[in-house]
Amino acid sequence: MPDVHTHSDQVLRSLRQSGPLTRGELGELCGLSRTTLYEVVSRLVDRGLVVATVPDTGPRGRGRPAERLALNPDAGRVLGIDFGPRTVRVAAMAVPHDDIGTAGEPCPPDAPWPERVALARRLAGTLTGGRLRPGVLDGVGVSVTDPAAASSAPAGRRTLTALIGRAFGTRVRLDGAARLAALAETVWGAAKGHRDVLYLELSDRVGGGLVGAGALHHGAHGRSGEFGHITVEPGGAPCSCGGRGCLQTVASTTAVLNAYRATADVPDLVAALRAGEPAAHAAVRRAGTYAGRVLAGLANALGPGAVVVGGELATAVPALMEPVRRELRTNVVRYGSQPPLLVRRAELGDFAAALGAVFLLRRPTDAASSKSGRTAFNPAP
Amino acid sequence: MPDVHTHSDQVLRSLRQSGPLTRGELGELCGLSRTTLYEVVSRLVDRGLVVATVPDTGPRGRGRPAERLALNPDAGRVLGIDFGPRTVRVAAMAVPHDDIGTAGEPCPPDAPWPERVALARRLAGTLTGGRLRPGVLDGVGVSVTDPAAASSAPAGRRTLTALIGRAFGTRVRLDGAARLAALAETVWGAAKGHRDVLYLELSDRVGGGLVGAGALHHGAHGRSGEFGHITVEPGGAPCSCGGRGCLQTVASTTAVLNAYRATADVPDLVAALRAGEPAAHAAVRRAGTYAGRVLAGLANALGPGAVVVGGELATAVPALMEPVRRELRTNVVRYGSQPPLLVRRAELGDFAAALGAVFLLRRPTDAASSKSGRTAFNPAP
């Protein structure tokens, strides 16, 4: 029933843009027959996305005022929570309204899970204006830095999911932060409009995510996206994974800082690059070259339409993209008729994973409405 | 309606295993109520997969003989045609019966397309026992070595599809040979039972295919699987693609033969390996090492459950797998709880692409029936 979905989107979009409307106005705006409109609206009312209201302006008794249809302000709320290493971030979305609010707060890396979840609940409360009552939430998408670590944490993956489910009284879906950032950049960010996207994240940890035909790729055991452990220097420096010469050993924030100067932090590196210090440029060039080679190999294998590079390092150091682009240009096979590969830095910043977590819970129907381009971001400070 | 699909499969499987059955026998065998069986059988009859027959054995008139249900011998036939560089191969499958026949014949590399298609039609005729009448075929899946080349061939991709469509009077779907071999190895071959599979083909051309969550990965422009053009030696030997140091320059059949001895052919190489000639072993080790590194990188990125290596070279030279396995063991990050990565040589041989082409046309429902394990292969000489 693709038509029903399209019509639902059309009706929701019209109510979003114009506010409450009578059935007559709505039918005209959407170009739908009375019968079709009746069916579509009934479904939306049944799903709780639309409510009928009678305005109490104007004098009563002189003819019944026309009933108006409006978006249900309590409906279809979805939360995305990103439990980062040092911050908890929340994105809240009212699906029929298609607008998003975000909030974040620092959280000590050693804080126990119940404390982090309580913080997330408080942040969600501020975003939903006290509307966070049981039954209001459609679901919570959760992002953790490393789903593998979350599974082996004292709370355990299942326990963590249950803990969050109890705190929010709704269903919970959990995924990895880099993978969710890939999804967010595809839906709303640098790769918007693409359906096959390769996303590399360069931060303390090097990881990534793959979107194929519009869907997040997970692999057989939910482990896809380990770009940081692709070998770039056989027999190279030892890596935390037990291997040697992994991309992570040359392109993580720490690796690049160490290659420049052992005591440097990111602002030091940025200042040194501005000052034209050769050691800083060499460190960045090396990281970008290896990152670019990994991306080129994956681009040959996967044939994406867009490559996006994000994370702390890519955000702070735009110069990193130059060797990345060069390696992609040199090493990706191209066919005459094919549009060029789009190569961009990530756009969504620190909230990318929380936004991706929101998308974990959106229904396929909802995805269509985001094409309207009216999605509003209110990045928190 | 997952139940309807499951029940349909059950009914088809019972008829396949037991031959014609009365409704009573069928209901008992499948454990279905009369009402459910009625619905399921009606659907199958409507789809033309099942027919009702009245046996004409036994004396007439003494009570009406019970009507029996049977698989429709003309139903759901699907063809897979692989237009290889020097051979045309056809696989024919009767979907409700779930059995497959194959036939192949050499064809000069410069034969014009109409001639190749006529050869395919003749081979298909021998497989379908003269049943290749209009309306009998559900579709034709077509495999070409390089879909890019097929598009730019004088016939052109669209023209080629139209030519085949006219010759067989049915719908046509076209895909790349390496990609279709990946699909076949996943459904029926070395990676049977897996849903996330990485397939590398080492022949004159080096390519491959990816299966993710049970589906073939195509990429943004249908170009995924260009494993042969992943750089393994930056600045290395020039490749046909215009790049340098691609996997194809070290791991194609030609590259390995040249690295051993310029005048050698595959049997020479195999003999030299048996005789323990160091140059032959070195050439194979180098190809396997680079192939293994590419696969390890992709396995980190994609997290497959199985890696399959196929093609002429892998078939002739089992020793190639040793360095491949070593590189995968050394370079793929592993988590404790995770089942080990399955690494195998391809099983389906020369007909893999034709079998994969058959699968292009099978419906999701049909896929379930192949789990019965009764699929019969009759590889042609």
Side-chain angles (χ1 to χ4, degrees):
Chain A
M1 305 183 297
D3 277 5
V4 175
H5 289 318
T6 314
H7 292 159
S8 299
D9 279 340
Q10 227 177 334
V11 166
L12 290 175
R13 198 155 47 231
S14 299
L15 293 175
R16 206 177 292 138
Q17 285 166 354
S18 314
L21 295 170
T22 63
R23 282 172 192 271
E25 291 163 347
L26 196 55
E28 206 170 306
L29 212 58
C30 298
L32 298 177
S33 71
R34 272 178 67 160
T35 327
T36 308
L37 185 73
Y38 182 84
E39 271 178 41
V40 172
V41 167
S42 300
R43 272 166 201 273
L44 290 173
V45 169
D46 287 350
R47 282 170 65 196
L49 297 180
V50 164
V51 286
T53 58
V54 179
D56 46 22
T57 53
R60 285 283 174 115
R62 312 193 68 189
R64 202 162 57 102
E67 184 189 75
R68 283 168 187 274
L69 297 165
L71 297 175
N72 180 358
D74 284 344
R77 246 173 227 285
V78 173
L79 287 185
I81 307 175
D82 173 28
F83 293 107
R86 289 176 295 265
T87 318
V88 172
R89 295 185 176 91
V90 176
M93 180 174 202
V95 172
H97 307 253
D98 207 14
D99 61 7
I100 288 184
T102 56
E105 223 170 85
C107 181
D110 54 354
W113 278 107
E115 198 176 299
R116 293 181 193 211
V117 172
L119 172 54
R121 208 177 181 297
R122 192 159 53 71
L123 291 170
T126 65
L127 288 174
T128 53
R131 287 184 188 280
L132 204 62
R133 295 188 302 273
V136 165
L137 273 181
D138 248 21
V140 176
V142 175
S143 153
V144 290
T145 312
D146 183 355
S151 308
S152 60
R157 185 193 178 106
R158 193 168 301 169
T159 326
L160 179 57
T161 305
L163 184 69
I164 298 167
R166 268 200 309 279
F168 289 91
T170 186
R171 70 199 164 113
V172 175
R173 282 187 64 188
L174 186 142
D175 216 318
R179 218 180 275 156
L180 292 172
L183 188 58
E185 292 291 344
T186 302
V187 177
W188 292 301
K192 194 170 171 177
H194 284 264
R195 291 170 53 78
D196 288 86
V197 177
L198 190 52
Y199 173 77
L200 174 68
E201 187 158 286
L202 302 175
S203 294
D204 281 345
R205 192 173 172 276
V206 173
L210 302 166
V211 176
L216 211 47
H217 182 95
H218 284 94
H221 312 293
R223 302 286 190 194
S224 83
E226 293 286 3
F227 301 170
H229 299 296
I230 295 180
T231 310
V232 293
E233 289 189 322
C239 178
S240 62
C241 75
R244 283 184 165 273
C246 299
L247 180 60
Q248 176 138 325
T249 67
V250 297
S252 72
T253 310
T254 317
V256 173
L257 290 175
N258 283 343
Y260 161 56
R261 184 154 53 79
T263 56
D265 60 12
V266 172
D268 292 341
L269 177 71
V270 171
L273 288 167
R274 284 224 184 89
E277 269 192 52
H281 280 282
V284 167
R285 200 160 46 235
R286 181 163 177 261
T289 300
Y290 281 124
R293 283 187 193 161
V294 162
L295 286 171
L298 294 174
N300 279 316
L302 296 159
V307 169
V308 177
V309 185
E312 182 190 15
L313 193 65
T315 306
V317 184
L320 197 76
M321 293 303 285
E322 198 268 314
V324 166
R325 287 178 200 279
R326 187 194 59 224
E327 292 298 318
L328 284 165
R329 211 164 42 231
T330 317
N331 294 317
V332 178
V333 62
R334 287 161 80 188
Y335 296 93
S337 57
Q338 204 172 320
L341 181 63
L342 182 77
V343 184
R344 302 187 68 177
R345 278 204 303 158
E347 282 181 358
L348 301 178
D350 292 346
F351 278 87
L355 293 168
V358 163
F359 199 80
L360 271 184
L361 273 306
R362 296 185 94 207
R363 285 165 295 237
T365 358
D366 307 328
S369 29
S370 77
K371 285 190 199 134
S372 68
R374 290 194 67 257
T375 305
F377 288 106
N378 312 306
Chain B
M1 305 184 296
D3 277 6
V4 174
H5 290 318
T6 315
H7 293 158
S8 299
D9 279 339
Q10 228 175 333
V11 165
L12 290 175
R13 199 155 48 232
S14 299
L15 293 175
R16 205 178 293 138
Q17 285 167 355
S18 313
L21 294 170
T22 64
R23 281 171 192 271
E25 290 164 347
L26 196 56
E28 207 170 306
L29 211 59
C30 298
L32 297 177
S33 72
R34 272 180 67 161
T35 328
T36 308
L37 185 72
Y38 182 85
E39 270 178 41
V40 171
V41 167
S42 302
R43 271 166 201 274
L44 290 172
V45 169
D46 287 349
R47 282 171 63 197
L49 297 179
V50 163
V51 285
T53 58
V54 180
D56 46 21
T57 53
R60 286 282 175 113
R62 311 194 67 190
R64 200 160 59 101
E67 183 190 75
R68 284 167 187 275
L69 297 165
L71 296 177
N72 179 359
D74 283 343
R77 247 173 226 284
V78 173
L79 287 185
I81 308 175
D82 174 28
F83 293 106
R86 288 177 295 265
T87 319
V88 172
R89 296 185 175 92
V90 176
M93 179 172 202
V95 172
H97 307 252
D98 207 15
D99 61 7
I100 288 184
T102 55
E105 223 170 85
C107 181
D110 54 355
W113 278 108
E115 198 176 298
R116 294 182 192 210
V117 172
L119 172 55
R121 207 177 182 297
R122 191 160 52 73
L123 291 168
T126 65
L127 289 174
T128 53
R131 285 185 188 281
L132 203 62
R133 294 189 301 273
V136 165
L137 273 182
D138 248 21
V140 176
V142 174
S143 153
V144 289
T145 313
D146 182 355
S151 307
S152 60
R157 185 193 178 105
R158 192 168 301 169
T159 326
L160 179 57
T161 305
L163 185 70
I164 299 168
R166 267 200 309 277
F168 289 91
T170 185
R171 69 198 165 116
V172 175
R173 281 188 63 188
L174 185 143
D175 216 320
R179 218 180 276 156
L180 291 172
L183 188 60
E185 291 291 344
T186 303
V187 177
W188 292 303
K192 196 172 171 176
H194 284 265
R195 290 170 52 79
D196 289 85
V197 176
L198 190 52
Y199 172 78
L200 174 68
E201 187 157 287
L202 302 175
S203 294
D204 280 345
R205 192 173 171 276
V206 173
L210 304 165
V211 176
L216 210 47
H217 181 96
H218 284 95
H221 313 291
R223 302 286 190 193
S224 84
E226 293 286 3
F227 300 171
H229 299 295
I230 295 180
T231 310
V232 294
E233 289 188 322
C239 178
S240 62
C241 74
R244 284 186 164 272
C246 298
L247 180 60
Q248 177 139 322
T249 67
V250 297
S252 72
T253 310
T254 318
V256 173
L257 290 175
N258 283 343
Y260 161 56
R261 185 157 49 81
T263 57
D265 62 12
V266 172
D268 292 341
L269 177 71
V270 171
L273 288 167
R274 285 225 183 88
E277 268 192 52
H281 280 281
V284 166
R285 202 161 43 236
R286 180 162 177 262
T289 300
Y290 281 124
R293 284 187 193 161
V294 162
L295 287 170
L298 294 175
N300 279 316
L302 296 160
V307 169
V308 177
V309 185
E312 181 190 15
L313 193 66
T315 306
V317 184
L320 197 77
M321 293 304 284
E322 198 268 313
V324 166
R325 287 180 200 279
R326 187 195 58 224
E327 292 298 318
L328 284 165
R329 212 164 40 233
T330 317
N331 294 318
V332 178
V333 61
R334 287 163 79 190
Y335 296 92
S337 58
Q338 205 171 322
L341 181 64
L342 182 76
V343 185
R344 302 186 69 178
R345 277 205 301 158
E347 281 181 357
L348 300 179
D350 292 345
F351 278 87
L355 293 168
V358 164
F359 200 80
L360 270 184
L361 273 304
R362 296 186 93 208
R363 286 165 294 239
T365 358
D366 307 326
S369 31
S370 77
K371 285 189 197 133
S372 68
R374 291 193 66 256
T375 303
F377 288 106
N378 312 307

